[in-house]
Structures are given as structure tokens and as C-alpha cells.
Amino acid sequence: MDEGGSRVRRRVSLPKRKRPSLGCIFVTPTAAELERGDEEKKEEEMVAENRRRKTASVIPVEVQPRLLSDSPDCLVLGGGDTNLDLLRRMPTDRGIGDQHNDSEEDMFGDYDSFTENSFIAQADDLEQKYMQLPEHRKHATDFATENLCSESIKNKLSVTPIGNLTELQTDKHPENQSGYEDVTVEPGADLLYDVPSSQAMYFENLQNSSNDLGDQFMKERDWKSSSHNTVNEELPHNCIEQPQQNDESSSKVRTSSDMNRRTSIKDHLKSAMTGNAKAQTPVFSRSKQLKETLLSEEINVAKKTIESSSNDLGPFYSLPSKVRDLYVQLKGIEKLYEWQHTCLTLKSVQERKNLIYSLPTSGGKTLVAEILMLQELLCSRKDVLMILPYVAIVQEKLHMIGEGSRGAILEMTLAKILYTSKTTQIIGMSATLNNVEDLQKFLQAEYYTSQFRPVELKEYLKINDTIYEIDSKAENGMTFSRFLNYKYSDTLKKMDPDHLVALVTEVIPNYSCLVFCPSKKNCENVAEMICKFLSKEYLKHKEKEKCEVIKNLKNIGNGNLCPVLKRTIPFGVAYHHSGLTSDERKLLEEAYSTGVLCLFTCTSTLAAGVNLPARRVILRAPYVAMEFLKRNQYKQMIGRAGRAGIDTIGESILILQEKDKQQVLELITRPLENCYSHLVQEFTKGIQTLFLSLIGLKIAANLDDIYHFMNGTFFGVQQKILLKEKSLWEITVESLRYLTEKGLLQKDTIYKSEEEVQHNFHITKLGRASFKGTIDLAYCDILYRDLKKGLEGLVLENLLHLIYLTTPYDLVSQCNPDWMIYFRQFSQLSPTEQNVAVILGVSESFIGKKASGQAIRKKVDKDVVNRLYLSFVLYSLLKETNIWTVSEKFNMPRGYVQNLLSGAASFSSCVLHFCEELEEFWVYRALLVELTKKLTYCVKAELIPLMEVTGVLEGRAKQLYSAGYKSLMHLANANPEVLTRTIDHLSRRQAKQIVSSAKMLLNEKAEALQEEVEELLRLPSDFPGAVASSTDKA
């Protein structure tokens, strides 16, 4: 449940609170008071009419958040949580009941609303006394109720009967009898603040109804037929369950006998409180209401603007001005760049045509994407999907369509959208594009490009101790810039032949620097080497903050800290590569962004997406691993130089040896590499998977349809370039034949006539299982065999056998076991655990011979041996639940161990879906559900229910469990205030988030059970005689 939802529950049960007495006294008016009452009644009617004009267009507070929360739309934004915060912080005012209790007790169980001295009891006494007057027995009670509620927002009340009307006065303000302006009284001074929110809502709506009815009450004096209807009309339909039905049939039933079974004020209040407690309480601050009204009006204007395709874009590119204000507040963006304004106002964008836009790195492409997405979400009320890259935390770059299996998956996704939907708008953005015409044709898109960079970038080359500036106008592409002015000792020359210390000390610690290294190990070595030669002065720069970073790293590592980081962080230096855990990377990135760390030694993956700009970027060598640098990779890396709003200039320095000089000069002058489709090249992850999903999703069913689809893909656009030996038709036929022979598709021949024959395809059970489980088709038959063999002797005394079956196949080829560690772990297995290895065909003697380097004659499946080794790693993780311990035990980078764990959790879920489609594997279903949870959270079994809650990681789960919160129900019923006091380092905001998330999960589970109950009780559609009975009724 969202935050708003949690507020509903908080209003249901409020704690007892002291409140001032609401003693109501009947007094007899003087003649002067009667005369003054007539005059003030006219004034009251004028004030009421004026108030109706002001509040006529007020939208309930829930309207704005519902734009997101009620819709199944999915918005995935890259670059951290700022964008989500922007949406999350759209105005959602809190109600009065927000201040204390989050518990789920009985609605009125511990509240004194129905006790002897309560407000409702006093209101009931007032009604009874008033009804004793003969002239008022029939109608006056209704008017007393109406006026009592309309004026109940005063501090203290006195009731003065005037004729047949009851007039209300306040003790403090006798001259102001209408009192409507007092609604804006701030909490604490307002009586309404101190009554239950459900009563407050009841009073407010009856007050509105009295305004709307006006003279009608004077003439008809029929409270039951008028005011009750008005209350229900005034209340937002999406905020309240009506306590009574108000249709024509109910009004007809009301006859003269109504007087005998008249509903008392007390009953009305109880009924309204019960209904209103289920609703979010409107906020009674007029300034907030006006802001909400303005925001609602702006959204309506923006929506009309988009529908009319007008050039008048409204407050902020068809978005409410609140969005612009939040950009200023959260990101410091006061004005868009000129290219951003131009791009957002393009005719193609206004007409919702597909668009590709390309700019250098750091040009501000993401902001344009965010604004376009917000337009869809807030104005058009439509779904938005942003595709994220696999290795980064920002949005998918369009050039990645040409990068291996990721590119094939991206191409398949876009091709399906283009083929099945003519209304979906596709926006593609990239920093590096060359053959954009092919992409335009594939996406049927307009193209916009600019060479804008907010900070000037200067590129340099370093050969020996000389630095050259890259100059395209120069004869050989570069001109002399300067010599390095840094005194090197003989020791330093040996340790740092590339003069890295000289280059980085020119900018750090006052400015930031990135050093790209060819390998992970090189990153760590370079970081340590630089720190050895930095002066002690660097230790004093932001010393306290750096100590805090080290402390936080220890906390997330359960007391463990990388020895390299322990030595480098005091100098403001750290390495950054995939060997770090995700929590470590996140913490180091935050420290770098805030200036606590000033130097990162990193691999090329950082350039692929993580937005960490620097004053100077240094490329340690023109290589990525053993491969020479590509132009696209080079542009991505140097694109990190120059921080908008901080630096006036950015610098990149590529260090090279004399032997690489010619290649580097070609690198810096050649155009960007072309982008090519990998759909056919990635056979099992590409074209085969595509065809299986097309038939499984019933997008296409026969050869002609599939061939037509293929012509619309990126591969289809480039077929003349990519296909030399075979045609697209031949490749399509071969791929379908392969899938049929593998048992994933079945071919049906339909004879339309003697001459015309059509071949249709439908998916088999194995094919559907592979499709639903998203299993790589290279491994689907191996997986089937392994699961089938497992049924013959599945070892359930421990988890090792199940873990082996869910260890990802694609990681096996990357595994190089340490045979001594393998043998040591094997010898420590229990007899039942060793039995698993025997079933798989791996013996202890084989591992022992490998460890001792002996020759082995017996042939053993290498993939099985390697997969079992990875299973040992995962098995140890589930037993010890500590990545650091397992990392040391198997001598593996902790980042690799974490990736193995997440890959196994994902693959376990895939295998579960695979088994759900095949009846013969029913035994695996329940087992894999639990195993997937264990792999996902990697904690002790008792902590798993707590880990499902948003904001609860392992450390927090242990704290909660120790404090007695051992289940989801415990958290859902927890009081955030008590949590904050009980759990160390838990803020009130975090506590409320945990409670809200637990309530949401509990609610989802309850709804799922409810749906199951309804399904069980529903009459089956194929029930015998059901069709006949429906025909008889017709």
C-alpha cells in the first residue's frame, strides 16, 4: 500500500486524547438578539455563497497521487531515486490523524467517542432535550443537527433557539455567527483539530451541505430527504463508502412511519464515522486546497493542450508548474539548455511521433526523457517504460542495440512494440551514433542531434613526459602542449613509469579525477601505488568524512573491510569495478559525488552508464582488457570529463607508448563505429527466442507472418549488408525447422485448396515451458534432462542437489576452479552431500587427482564438474549467509560471489516457471518457491518474511527480529513511534515506510486469498445447464 493508504489506517484508530469540554447550553434570546440574528442570517448566506464560489473547484487531495497509484503503469527511471522522489513528492497532504498511531486496532475500541462525557453523547442529550419541546418534535431536531454540524468548528458552542431555527454562537467570537472563515485556523487553535478525523470529515461535509441547501431548508425543513443526500453528493465518491443508499427506492420507502424509526444524531454520527474512517480525510487548510486546485487546473490545461496539439505548451512543457519547482528544488535546474527546449518543442514530439536524439555525453539527454515521460504519466495518463542497460544505472542507450545479446533483446522488444502497437511512442537517445539512417528506418522515427556540451572538453595525448593536444586541423592530428613539471625520484620512476602521480596531483584533492585501467587488478594496484607517493597533507582533506565512509563500509560488510580500500580511502582514493559488492559501489559513488573521495581508479564499465563526471579523465592505456580501444568506448570514457555547473573545462589524457602511436592517431580521427543487428548472430538468444515468443504470444502463426515480421526488424533493415550467403527467407525457414526438430514447435499443414497449402506453427509444452521460463534455448534440453534425471533420485536431506539444478548454465564456462579449494570443500561434505556428487558423476578421487596434478584417464563432463563447484559456493553462502566469508574461502572476488548469487536466484525463478508448465515436474514447484526466496535474500530462514518488506535489509531484519517483530503481521501492526524508540539508527520516516510497506504486502496477500475464494465460489462457465438457463432468462 502506498503512503496514502497507510494514512487511511492511521485514521481508523486514534488514541485517547484530552479535549476541552463541549458543554452546550440552551438560552432564551432577547428581542435585540432576535433582530440581530435576522441581519446576521443574511450576512451568513452571503458568506456561504462566496465560500461556495471559492471552493467549487477544489479537488480532493487524493486526486494527484492517484495519477500514479491507481494505474498499473510502470515508470522505471535511471540515475538513482531523484526522479522517483520527484513524483513521490507531488502534493499529498497529511491528515490530522497522521501524528500518533499506526496500529490496526478495532475502529472505536480504545477511543472514548461513545462514553458518557463524549461529544456524541452530549450531542445525543442535546437532541433529546430539544425534542421534548412540542413545537420542535417533528423537524427541529433535523435542523439542530444540521446547524450543530455546520458550526461545530467553533471553539465552544452555545445554542440559541430562534423560532423554528437553531442559531449557533461562539463564546469567543459572538459577533461572527457564520464562522466559515475559521476553517483555516491552524492545528492547535482549531477545535476540529482535537476531534477524531472521522467526526471532522462528517462536520465539514454537513457544513457544505448547509451552504448548498440555503433557503431550501427554511421552506421544506426536511432534513432526511435533503441533507443526507447532499452529504453523500458532496463527499468524493472515491474517498468514502456511503453508509446508506440514497436512490429513489429508498426515498419512497420513507413514509410517515419514518418518525417512529427516525435515525438519531448519534446514529448518524456513528454511521458517518464508520464510513469516513475508511477514507482519506480532506485537509482543512484553505491555502493547501487552493494549491491543489491550481495544480489540478494546470494538469487539465496541459491535458487539453496535448489533445489539441497546440503550440501553447502551458506552464512547463505541458506539465504543471509544480514539476518545474521540484526540478529547481531537487536538482537545481532553473532553466533548460537551448537544445533541450528545441527538442521538446519539435513538431514531431508534439505529434507523438517516434524520435531519436543524439548528443555528446553530459549534454543533458536524460532530462528531456524525464519530461517526456512525465507528460505521458501526468497529462496523457498513459504507461511509460524506460529500458535500463544491464551494466549501468542509467537509461538504455540506443547504440547498445548493436552490442551482443543485450542488443538482440533490445531489438526484439522494440520490433514487437512496432509490430503490435501503432499508438506507442518510442523515444531513443544515445551519445554515440553513426549509421543513424538504419535506426530511423527501423524505428520509423524522426532524428534530432546537436554537438552541445555544457562544459568544454579538451583532449590530450601523453607520450613519455610530453603532452600533446588533439587538433583535427594539425597535420598529424595533434600539437605540442607542454612538458610534465614534476620531480621524480628513481624509486618513483620505477613504480610509476606513466607519471600518473604527476597527472592526478595536478587536480586532486580540490577537483575530481577518474583513471581508467585495462583490468580490475590493475585498478587496485594503481590506487595503492598512487597513495604510496601522496603527501601526508592529503590525509587532512575531509578527514572526518573519510572516516565515516570507512565506518559505513565496515557496517555493510558485517565488520569486514577490503584492505586496499582501508589504505587508500584516507587519501581520498578508491578503486571501482565489478569485484565490489553493489552496496560498496553505491557507498563509494556517493562519497565521490559529494567530494569526500577525489580519485577513482576504474574499469570501462563505469563509463557505460554510471554518471560520475570528473575535472580530468585519464586513460591508463588504449586497451580494454587485451583488446585495443574502440572509438565508441573512447568517446564514452572521455565524455565523463567536465562537470556541468562545477567546472569551466574538462580534460582527457590518453597515455600511450610509442608503439601504439599510429593506432591511437587513427583512433582519434576515425568516425564512430556503425551499429549492426545481432539478432541472427546471437542464435539461441536472438532469432530462435524471437520466433518462439512470436508464436507463443500469438503475434504470428505461419511462415508468411513471421517473414513479414522479420522484414520490420533492425536485422531486416540491414539484411543486404549482413546477409552474404543466405537470404532472410532461408534463415527464417531454417530457424523454424530447428525449433521444430528440437521439439519446441509443432508444424501443422493446412490445405486451403488443391494448389494452396499453408503451414501453421503452434508451441509445444516444452516450448511453452522454455518461453514462460525465459530459458536460453541453448540450455532448455539440458535443463529438461537434468530435471528428469533428478526425479530418479532427488536428494532432499540437504539443499545441495536443488542448488545444483538452479546454478546458471551460462556462468559455468567462466568458472576456473581452484582444485585445492575444490578438494578441501569436497572432503568436508557429509555422506548425504557426497551422495549428490556421486549421482552427478563427480568422484572425490577425480577432484583429488586434479588437485595433485595427476593424469586422469577417466572422462568426466567438465561442465558438470564446474557447475558443481559453483554449487558449492552457493551452498556455503546459504549456510553462512556472509559474502565476505565465502569470498575468502573460495578465493573469489566478493562482487563475483554476489553476482553468482543474484544469477542463481533469477535462474531458480526461471526454472520454477519452466516446471509449472510441465506436469511431470510438479514435485519441484513447492521446493523451488522456497529455494528462490532463500537465494534472493540469502539470510537465515526466520528473517526472510521481514526481508520482503521494502527498506529492510539483513542488518535491519536482525534488529527487528531481536526486538520481537518476527513476521509480516508484526510489522504491519507496529507503531512507527515505538519502532523508532526500539530500533537503533531508525528514523521516523524509515519506520513509517517499513510499516506502510508491510501493510501493503499484507493487503496484497489478503486480496490474493480473496480472489481465490471468489474463484472457488463462482459458478463455472462450463457448468451443465448454465447456457440453457441464461437462454431461458433472455
Side-chain angles (χ1 to χ4, degrees):
M1 180 179 292
D2 59 16
E3 190 178 2
S6 67
R7 291 204 296 274
V8 174
R9 287 199 173 96
R10 284 198 286 273
R11 293 190 183 93
V12 168
S13 52
L14 290 170
K16 296 183 180 181
R17 291 176 295 187
K18 293 182 181 179
R19 55 180 55 75
S21 173
L22 295 176
C24 299
I25 304 169
F26 285 98
V27 294
T28 307
T30 63
E33 288 174 325
L34 287 172
E35 184 176 339
R36 187 180 63 185
D38 291 335
E39 293 173 358
E40 291 182 349
K41 187 163 80 74
K42 294 177 182 177
E43 180 185 345
E44 177 182 340
E45 291 172 357
M46 291 174 65
V47 172
E49 180 61 28
N50 182 45
R51 186 170 186 271
R52 279 199 299 277
R53 290 196 203 99
K54 289 183 180 178
T55 60
S57 60
V58 172
I59 305 298
V61 174
E62 299 89 77
V63 167
Q64 306 310 331
R66 283 176 63 86
L67 297 177
L68 295 176
S69 62
D70 276 9
S71 169
D73 302 351
C74 175
L75 172 62
V76 183
L77 297 174
D81 295 331
T82 306
N83 309 300
L84 294 178
D85 289 339
L86 179 114
L87 295 177
R88 201 180 294 123
R89 293 180 64 173
M90 293 294 281
T92 52
D93 297 316
R94 294 181 179 275
I96 296 165
D98 226 323
Q99 300 174 5
H100 297 284
N101 200 349
D102 276 16
S103 62
E104 283 265 3
E105 302 165 10
D106 176 61
M107 191 174 293
F108 304 113
D110 74 343
Y111 191 74
D112 64 347
S113 293
F114 302 119
T115 59
E116 184 177 356
N117 295 320
S118 70
F119 173 77
I120 293 182
Q122 293 178 36
D124 195 42
D125 290 342
L126 167 65
E127 179 189 25
Q128 297 301 326
K129 290 177 183 178
Y130 195 70
M131 283 302 295
Q132 290 174 9
L133 299 175
E135 66 273 22
H136 299 304
R137 283 178 185 167
K138 185 172 182 181
H139 296 296
T141 302
D142 300 327
F143 283 103
T145 305
E146 187 272 327
N147 284 304
L148 171 64
C149 297
S150 67
E151 292 291 331
S152 64
I153 58 174
K154 297 299 186 177
N155 292 337
K156 290 189 178 180
L157 307 178
S158 62
V159 183
T160 307
I162 302 175
N164 289 329
L165 181 68
T166 302
E167 199 173 279
L168 295 164
Q169 295 181 342
T170 65
D171 292 346
K172 293 184 180 180
H173 306 287
E175 74 281 1
N176 181 6
Q177 301 209 0
S178 65
Y180 290 123
E181 294 301 319
D182 286 352
V183 175
T184 57
V185 174
E186 291 298 317
D190 191 355
L191 176 66
L192 194 59
Y193 175 72
D194 205 40
V195 299
S197 55
S198 53
Q199 291 186 21
M201 186 175 183
Y202 180 78
F203 295 150
E204 174 66 5
N205 285 286
L206 281 187
Q207 176 191 357
N208 292 342
S209 64
S210 69
N211 292 339
D212 292 338
L213 291 173
D215 292 337
Q216 183 179 348
F217 276 105
M218 294 297 295
K219 295 177 182 177
E220 298 180 8
R221 297 187 182 181
D222 191 349
W223 186 87
K224 284 173 243 174
S225 62
S226 301
S227 68
H228 194 67
N229 280 331
T230 310
V231 170
N232 290 326
E233 288 166 8
E234 288 288 307
L235 289 174
H237 293 295
N238 60 336
C239 300
I240 185 167
E241 293 180 14
Q242 304 294 353
Q244 297 182 14
Q245 296 294 328
N246 291 303
D247 54 16
E248 293 182 6
S249 60
S250 63
S251 63
K252 289 178 181 178
V253 172
R254 293 185 179 180
T255 61
S256 60
S257 62
D258 280 0
M259 281 302 299
N260 298 327
R261 46 191 182 83
R262 176 187 55 80
T263 305
S264 67
I265 300 174
K266 179 178 176 180
D267 292 334
H268 275 299
L269 286 171
K270 284 183 183 179
S271 178
M273 286 172 70
T274 304
N276 294 340
K278 300 175 185 177
Q280 282 186 277
T281 309
V283 179
F284 293 93
S285 168
R286 176 157 306 169
S287 63
K288 291 181 180 178
Q289 285 182 333
L290 291 174
K291 287 179 182 178
E292 292 295 331
T293 306
L294 179 62
L295 182 60
S296 176
E297 287 174 354
E298 288 179 349
I299 287 180
N300 290 332
V301 169
K303 185 179 178 183
K304 290 176 182 177
T305 301
I306 281 190
E307 289 173 352
S308 62
S309 298
S310 168
N311 291 326
D312 180 15
L313 295 178
F316 182 65
Y317 300 99
S318 301
L319 290 170
S321 57
K322 182 68 177 177
V323 175
R324 177 187 57 213
D325 297 340
L326 286 171
Y327 268 116
V328 175
Q329 178 185 340
L330 300 175
K331 292 191 171 186
I333 299 173
E334 297 182 1
K335 187 178 179 182
L336 270 61
Y337 296 131
E338 186 177 342
W339 83 262
Q340 292 171 328
H341 173 77
T342 303
C343 186
L344 287 167
T345 53
L346 288 173
K347 187 178 179 183
S348 56
V349 173
Q350 300 303 309
E351 294 175 353
R352 295 191 77 256
K353 292 181 179 178
N354 295 347
L355 174 71
I356 299 170
Y357 62 98
S358 173
L359 277 96
T361 302
S362 303
K365 297 182 294 296
T366 304
L367 178 60
V368 171
E370 288 176 9
I371 291 173
L372 291 171
M373 288 189 295
L374 289 171
Q375 285 177 355
E376 291 296 298
L377 284 167
L378 299 179
C379 304
S380 300
R381 314 278 181 98
K382 293 183 179 178
D383 299 348
V384 176
L385 174 68
M386 179 176 262
I387 302 175
L388 302 174
Y390 184 70
V391 296
I393 59 168
V394 298
Q395 72 285 344
E396 179 68 86
K397 303 291 193 300
L398 196 57
H399 65 266
M400 289 183 177
I401 201 170
E403 294 186 9
S405 60
R406 276 190 298 153
I409 293 168
L410 179 59
E411 180 181 347
M412 289 189 289
T413 303
L414 293 171
K416 288 175 191 173
I417 292 171
L418 289 165
Y419 189 82
T420 57
S421 173
K422 303 303 178 188
T423 58
T424 302
Q425 183 185 21
I426 297 174
I427 305 290
M429 54 181 162
S430 178
T432 50
L433 278 179
N434 192 31
N435 56 330
V436 72
E437 297 82 6
D438 290 346
L439 283 167
Q440 272 188 271
K441 189 174 180 182
F442 166 48
L443 295 176
Q444 303 153 35
E446 303 284 330
Y447 180 57
Y448 176 83
T449 187
S450 170
Q451 294 305 310
F452 172 81
R453 267 189 65 94
V455 177
E456 182 187 0
L457 173 62
K458 290 191 175 182
E459 301 175 46
Y460 298 96
L461 300 176
K462 178 192 164 296
I463 305 173
N464 299 322
D465 59 351
T466 308
I467 295 179
Y468 300 90
E469 183 174 356
I470 294 175
D471 184 0
S472 58
K473 298 176 183 177
E475 186 177 347
N476 60 351
M478 62 182 188
T479 57
F480 172 80
S481 177
R482 63 187 173 97
F483 289 109
L484 271 178
N485 185 21
Y486 192 88
K487 293 181 181 180
Y488 265 69
S489 64
D490 293 338
T491 307
L492 184 53
K493 283 179 182 178
K494 290 179 182 178
M495 296 288 291
D496 182 23
D498 294 326
H499 306 96
L500 280 171
V501 174
L503 292 173
V504 301
T505 51
E506 288 179 346
V507 289
I508 66 168
N510 295 323
Y511 297 98
S512 57
C513 182
L514 294 175
V515 179
F516 283 101
C517 303
S519 67
K520 287 182 282 191
K521 189 62 181 172
N522 191 238
C523 285
E524 298 178 30
N525 293 339
V526 168
E528 284 205 279
M529 182 274 293
I530 290 173
C531 290
K532 282 181 182 178
F533 297 100
L534 290 179
S535 70
K536 302 277 186 178
E537 293 298 315
Y538 285 88
L539 295 171
K540 298 177 183 178
H541 183 75
K542 298 193 175 182
E543 188 176 359
K544 290 182 180 179
E545 291 89 339
K546 287 183 286 196
C547 289
E548 190 67 24
V549 171
I550 291 175
K551 179 184 173 183
N552 292 336
L553 282 171
K554 281 184 178 178
N555 288 338
I556 61 176
N558 293 320
N560 297 289
L561 177 65
C562 170
V564 176
L565 292 176
K566 185 179 180 180
R567 290 190 291 269
T568 62
I569 287 177
F571 289 93
V573 179
Y575 66 86
H576 184 290
H577 58 59
S578 61
L580 295 166
T581 65
S582 57
D583 290 332
E584 287 176 314
R585 282 200 301 272
K586 182 180 178 182
L587 201 146
L588 291 174
E589 286 164 10
E590 288 175 355
Y592 178 87
S593 297
T594 55
V596 176
L597 299 178
C598 54
L599 174 64
F600 263 174
T601 58
C602 49
T603 54
S604 61
T605 53
L606 185 140
V610 181
N611 189 22
L612 294 175
R615 171 66 173 265
R616 176 175 289 180
V617 170
I618 301 170
L619 279 66
R620 172 82 170 72
Y623 292 91
V624 174
M626 301 300 292
E627 293 185 8
F628 197 81
L629 205 60
K630 295 179 182 176
R631 175 70 173 167
N632 286 348
Q633 293 171 323
Y634 171 73
K635 293 295 284 185
Q636 277 190 337
M637 290 181 189
I638 68 170
R640 298 294 163 210
R643 298 170 298 172
I646 301 174
D647 298 327
T648 55
I649 193 171
E651 302 171 335
S652 72
I653 301 173
L654 172 57
I655 300 172
L656 64 143
Q657 306 301 320
E658 196 68 46
K659 64 181 179 67
D660 296 321
K661 182 177 177 181
Q662 192 56 42
Q663 267 187 293
V664 168
L665 290 175
E666 291 174 7
L667 168 73
I668 61 177
T669 55
R670 77 165 70 111
L672 296 169
E673 289 84 4
N674 284 338
C675 182
Y676 294 113
S677 169
H678 282 254
L679 195 59
V680 174
Q681 189 175 334
E682 295 289 328
F683 198 51
T684 56
K685 289 185 178 178
I687 193 168
Q688 285 187 2
T689 299
L690 174 62
F691 287 0
L692 193 66
S693 65
L694 288 178
I695 295 166
L697 293 170
K698 298 181 180 178
I699 295 174
N702 57 62
L703 181 58
D704 292 335
D705 290 344
I706 294 171
Y707 177 69
H708 176 63
F709 181 95
M710 282 299 295
N711 275 296
T713 62
F714 190 43
F715 182 83
V717 171
Q718 295 183 325
Q719 58 182 296
K720 291 180 180 179
I721 304 170
L722 299 176
L723 295 178
K724 303 297 182 184
E725 299 175 358
K726 298 177 182 177
S727 67
L728 182 58
W729 174 268
E730 289 173 320
I731 287 177
T732 304
V733 171
E734 282 183 11
S735 299
L736 289 169
R737 184 187 300 124
Y738 179 85
L739 291 170
T740 305
E741 290 171 356
K742 207 166 183 178
L744 301 172
L745 291 179
Q746 187 169 322
K747 185 178 179 181
D748 300 324
T749 304
I750 300 172
Y751 295 94
K752 291 190 173 182
S753 63
E754 292 183 2
E755 298 179 355
E756 189 178 0
V757 179
Q758 181 174 305
H759 298 291
N760 282 359
F761 294 88
H762 72 264
I763 198 165
T764 63
K765 287 185 177 180
L766 179 61
R768 185 166 296 281
S770 303
F771 163 58
K772 289 287 185 71
T774 62
I775 305 294
D776 186 340
L777 300 187
Y779 307 119
C780 64
D781 48 352
I782 303 172
L783 174 63
Y784 181 84
R785 285 200 303 269
D786 285 346
L787 292 171
K788 193 77 172 174
K789 187 178 180 181
L791 291 177
E792 298 171 8
L794 187 63
V795 178
L796 294 177
E797 293 175 80
N798 53 69
L799 289 173
L800 184 57
H801 202 169
L802 272 178
I803 289 171
Y804 173 83
L805 292 173
T806 56
T807 301
Y809 291 102
D810 56 350
L811 296 179
V812 172
S813 59
Q814 306 169 20
C815 176
N816 295 306
D818 183 315
W819 296 107
M820 285 302 297
I821 294 174
Y822 204 161
F823 181 70
R824 192 183 308 125
Q825 293 300 315
F826 203 107
S827 60
Q828 292 174 2
L829 295 176
S830 68
T832 55
E833 291 167 343
Q834 287 193 3
N835 188 34
V836 175
V838 172
I839 290 171
L840 297 173
V842 181
S843 64
E844 186 174 5
S845 62
F846 171 81
I847 304 299
K849 288 179 180 179
K850 291 289 287 185
S852 59
Q854 298 179 34
I856 299 171
R857 296 178 183 176
K858 184 180 177 182
K859 189 177 180 181
V860 179
D861 191 330
K862 180 185 174 183
D863 287 342
V864 173
V865 174
N866 289 2
R867 195 176 182 211
L868 182 61
Y869 184 69
L870 293 179
S871 301
F872 281 1
V873 178
L874 292 167
Y875 189 48
S876 296
L877 262 175
L878 291 190
K879 286 197 294 184
E880 299 181 29
T881 69
N882 189 316
I883 288 177
W884 280 84
T885 307
V886 175
S887 171
E888 290 172 6
K889 183 185 289 186
F890 288 89
N891 193 25
M892 289 179 168
R894 55 195 178 279
Y896 176 83
V897 174
Q898 188 180 54
N899 289 337
L900 173 63
L901 180 64
S902 60
S906 177
F907 188 63
S908 178
S909 177
C910 292
V911 175
L912 171 61
H913 291 299
F914 182 87
C915 292
E916 285 174 342
E917 296 298 321
L918 297 170
E919 190 62 34
E920 59 197 295
F921 295 142
W922 63 270
V923 71
Y924 288 113
R925 294 174 194 169
L927 297 171
L928 290 175
V929 168
E930 293 306 311
L931 180 63
T932 303
K933 283 185 180 180
K934 288 178 183 292
L935 291 169
T936 301
Y937 300 112
C938 192
V939 293
K940 292 180 179 179
E942 63 266 21
L943 298 181
I944 290 178
L946 302 178
M947 294 282 286
E948 293 179 1
V949 177
T950 302
V952 177
L953 299 178
E954 183 179 1
R956 186 73 74 207
K958 287 178 179 177
Q959 285 181 307
L960 291 167
Y961 192 86
S962 300
Y965 298 94
K966 300 183 177 182
S967 70
L968 193 61
M969 287 181 288
H970 286 162
L971 285 182
N973 288 282
N975 184 332
E977 297 293 342
V978 176
L979 277 181
T980 306
R981 291 195 299 268
T982 308
I983 307 300
D984 292 337
H985 310 298
L986 182 68
S987 68
R988 189 171 185 272
R989 179 176 172 272
Q990 291 171 324
K992 294 179 78 173
Q993 181 190 8
I994 287 171
V995 173
S996 296
S997 177
K999 287 179 178 180
M1000 179 185 72
L1001 284 172
L1002 205 60
N1003 213 35
E1004 287 175 355
K1005 291 185 177 183
E1007 287 175 359
L1009 290 172
Q1010 183 63 37
E1011 288 175 6
E1012 195 174 334
V1013 169
E1014 290 173 359
E1015 186 65 30
L1016 287 171
L1017 297 177
R1018 190 177 294 122
L1019 184 69
S1021 57
D1022 57 350
F1023 183 75
V1027 177
S1029 61
S1030 62
T1031 307
D1032 294 340
K1033 288 181 181 179

